[in-house]
Amino acid sequence: MAKAIKKYEQEKVERIMFRVPKGEKARIQAHAASRGESTNAFIYRAINETIQREGETGQNHD
């Protein structure tokens, strides 16, 4: 099982290290849980919503 997971991760996912100030990790985890999401799903959704809102180039369209 662990071998299959490792193979899947090598082929299908990439990792990004995400650092936050002390105390923020718990706040982010609590918010994600309150929405029924994993922390990873919440961060991924937040990033995608920001990219969609700002456009792929990262420029604000105010």
Side-chain angles (χ1 to χ4, degrees):
M1 182 78 155
K3 187 176 180 180
I5 292 170
K6 184 176 179 179
K7 182 178 185 226
Y8 172 82
E9 287 187 347
Q10 287 177 335
E11 293 176 0
K12 304 290 184 184
V13 299
E14 295 179 300
R15 292 182 180 267
I16 297 174
M17 181 169 291
F18 181 67
R19 294 183 177 123
V20 296
K22 291 265 186 194
E24 289 296 301
K25 179 180 175 183
R27 183 173 156 251
I28 292 165
Q29 289 173 321
H31 181 80
S34 75
R35 298 183 54 88
E37 293 179 301
S38 68
T39 303
N40 189 76
F42 166 62
I43 292 170
Y44 187 65
R45 180 177 58 80
I47 290 168
N48 281 321
E49 287 176 3
T50 301
I51 290 171
Q52 190 172 43
R53 183 176 60 247
E54 294 179 358
E56 292 292 327
T57 61
Q59 296 178 7
N60 275 327
H61 301 285
D62 294 317

